[in-house]
Amino acid sequence: MIKNLKRTLSTQKWREGLSGYLFFLPALILLSLFLLYPMAMAFYYSFTDFYLLTPQKKGFIGLENFTYAFSDNEFRTAFKNTVYFVVLVVPLQTAVGLGLALLVNKKLRFTIFYRTAYFSPVVMSLVVVSILWTFLYNPNEGFFNQVLESLGFAKQPFLTSPNQAMNSIIAMSVWQGAGFQMLIFLAGLQTIPGVLYEAASIDGANAWQKFKNVTLPGLKNVSIFIIITITIAAFKLLIQPMIMTQGGPLGSTRSLVYYTYQVGFAYRDVGYASALAVLFTVIVLIISLTQRKLLTEDRG
Amino acid sequence: MKKLLMFLMMALVAGLLVVGCSSSKEETSSNGDQDKTTPATEEEVVLQLWIHQTNEKETQFYLDRAAEFNEAHKGKIRVDVAPPIIDEGSSYNDAINAALVAGNLPDLIKLDGPFVASYAASEVIMPVGQYYTDEELADYVDSILEQGSYNGELYSLGAMESSVMLYYNKAIFAEAGIEAPTSVEDAWTWDEFFAVAKQLTTNDRYGLNLFMNYGVGEWMTYMGLPFVWSNGGDLLSPDGTTAEGYFNGPETVEALEFIKQLFAEGVVSISPSEMQFEEGNAAMALGGPWIALSTQDAGLDYGMMPYPRSKVAKSPSGSMAYAVTSQTKHPEEAAKFMLWMTDKESTIRLSEVTGMPPARKSAFAEMAEYETQPKKIMKDQVINSAQARPQTPAYPVLTQLFAEAFQAAALGEDVQKTLDNFVPRIERELSRFNK
């Protein structure tokens, strides 16, 4: 009797497992074709001297691409630039996103209008946004300099100065992406039960205490999700420098991904570009795993 | 069991969907091919040419001229021009690279002059010198043959040249009583050039515009390299095997120090507005032939002077050209077509459409506007001082790094240090081809 039951259970389990895999199959085929296969190829190419124009003549060169990467000044600068971007964008975008979410969560008039307005940059193509902001940042006729000038301040070089270019890109990126974080924070805010706030009011808590002791703990899981996704997205910085500065001036905005692109397609050094891509994946993986360890999620 | 069967069915359907999508794609593409190439008549050689998208008039010229070729060689050769590929970003080069890897390059491609060497070294394009007689080639201006050659073999022919002239605002010059030189022989030296630029710089006007707003790319190399050549320097050794002592050699350093000085003295702007010269906010400008058109449109009275010199007169050169790919089965016919697209009539007509100087001496002789100023200077430079950019397969790396060094000099960085830093990268690239 018991034996029989066990057997039915196991066949049932096996069937369920199989059906799961069958459902997974289409996705698996597509993922293998467009993600796993290219990744495996990149890994293989990273040990070769694959030159874009002579694909049939690639030879195995061992770790040479990787050893060169560690002596490559441009790679080092690109790494530094990317880290600088991430370190500033992640907290800024999280803070702005949270601020906006708190604002539009208030029961005010026109909330829907504000939500749409803050979210609209996210829907726009990053390429379009980058081109528009290049106009705004134009050192001569740009909007920002006209405003500065009319307020009596000196004109700024923005994207044409090695000291300001990256910060200008960061400001634009925060503005562009914060709407998305706002939306997720908003969803998080709406899951916090109203009774908690009522209870806090009865206990005599002021607005700041409510924010600190009710809102923030309630948003913990959402925040972890947001910080990890922004970090990964920020590491992938590419479109902004590509369109706005071509990595300049003096390489001050060249990001890791943009440098990889440049090496692969402009310099045609697919082997080295693949090595850079592999290094990039390892770096992002390590950082994401560390974050995940440090910011433990509450599983409720 | 029934359930399992159902799952299998579902998987099958899912699989079919994937297969179905891919096979339907194949069908459409093969249909597309058929549309493009209507069945060839017997013995007719059919060639394919890829061109990149430029302005409408220019593209139309290529299509018309190819049609005329087909008419003239009816029944023998026919060239199909593929729809032009939009050259935004680098999609034209990407298309060529993709076709290269897939092994279905067209018979003929258009490519930018300085890329001839890398395509030749990689055997993407083939030498064509054997298909032409010396008389046929003698009519091309030297810089076009120089640009089209690699390792002593001819790979490519172009129909148009280009140049960079020193434009000047006639009103400002008249007011200051400055006389502009009218031939390459009398070109200003750097010192004279600097003195005038400095003199004409005022609080609300720059003495010179170098179009730094074009970005860190080919323009900076194209416009900036003659400063190095004119000073007796070059980016690579004459045999093209090393950059050490050339890219960072004393002549190159001196040239970039001169550029640095122009910016340091406030004579040039690092971020000029788009129409700075055309609107009269710069007294002079080192610009391409297209600046003549935009200045004319803006209604400004301008003149042209030769490129300023140090030891020898040098000026930029080079433009898009044709080449025969090594995947073609009919090199002889392809070479014939290339000659047609770059013959006297083609070069004259293309020059009329684009405003760029023609690539043939006989074409210059027939175009009256090149006998008078300002275009006389353009012709003078194309024939007497034009130099092609370095014919090295490492050009993509070389041009990017030179452009970055040029910008670094403009921003006041240490020239010698910047150039020294870039040399190992170039050496690494060269080692690929020196093997």
Side-chain angles (χ1 to χ4, degrees), chain A residues 18 68 140-141 254 268-269, chain B residues 4 118 271 273 404 432:
Chain A
L18 182 75
Y68 179 69
N140 304 296
E141 304 99 1
R254 186 181 284 121
R268 301 165 177 162
D269 197 343
Chain B
L4 185 69
S118 57
S271 52
S273 57
E404 281 181 29
R432 182 192 298 280

Side-chain angles (χ1 to χ4, degrees), chain B residues 169-343:
Chain B
N169 184 320
K170 275 193 173 164
I172 298 174
F173 265 50
E175 195 188 317
I178 296 165
E179 198 72 39
T182 54
S183 73
V184 167
E185 250 174 42
D186 307 323
W188 276 342
T189 62
W190 287 0
D191 290 341
E192 291 170 296
F193 171 54
F194 180 77
V196 173
K198 180 91 189 149
Q199 182 193 338
L200 296 179
T201 302
T202 63
N203 281 336
D204 46 314
R205 185 180 72 204
Y206 285 98
L208 178 69
N209 181 7
L210 292 179
F211 300 97
M212 297 297 280
N213 52 319
Y214 290 175
V216 200
E218 192 56 33
W219 168 252
M220 287 190 189
T221 309
Y222 189 66
M223 174 269 295
L225 255 184
F227 282 104
V228 177
W229 293 329
S230 173
N231 203 31
D234 209 338
L235 299 189
L236 298 180
S237 59
D239 61 358
T241 54
T242 182
E244 183 65 52
Y246 296 88
F247 191 86
N248 57 348
E251 294 89 358
T252 313
V253 172
E254 217 175 87
L256 288 188
E257 288 288 354
F258 178 68
I259 299 295
K260 183 175 170 178
Q261 189 194 359
L262 285 172
F263 284 88
E265 297 275 337
V267 167
V268 199
S269 163
I270 189 93
S271 52
S273 57
E274 199 110 334
M275 303 282 278
Q276 193 190 50
F277 177 71
E278 291 89 331
E279 285 167 354
N281 295 325
M284 296 184 285
L286 268 178
W290 53 91
I291 296 302
L293 305 178
S294 59
T295 311
Q296 226 156 20
D297 289 344
L300 186 97
D301 198 9
Y302 71 94
M304 286 185 201
M305 288 183 272
Y307 203 103
R309 59 185 282 176
S310 170
K311 288 168 192 148
V312 269
K314 289 287 179 193
S315 60
S317 145
S319 194
M320 295 297 285
Y322 297 89
V324 179
T325 69
S326 40
Q327 286 179 17
T328 186
K329 290 191 190 77
H330 309 286
E332 201 178 337
E333 286 82 359
K336 211 172 198 175
F337 175 76
M338 215 154 84
L339 191 69
W340 172 278
M341 292 302 277
T342 57
D343 69 3

Side-chain angles (χ1 to χ4, degrees), chain A residues 149-164:
Chain A
E149 217 179 16
S150 65
L151 294 175
F153 292 104
K155 281 188 173 186
Q156 296 298 317
F158 295 120
L159 297 172
T160 53
S161 144
N163 301 322
Q164 293 185 8

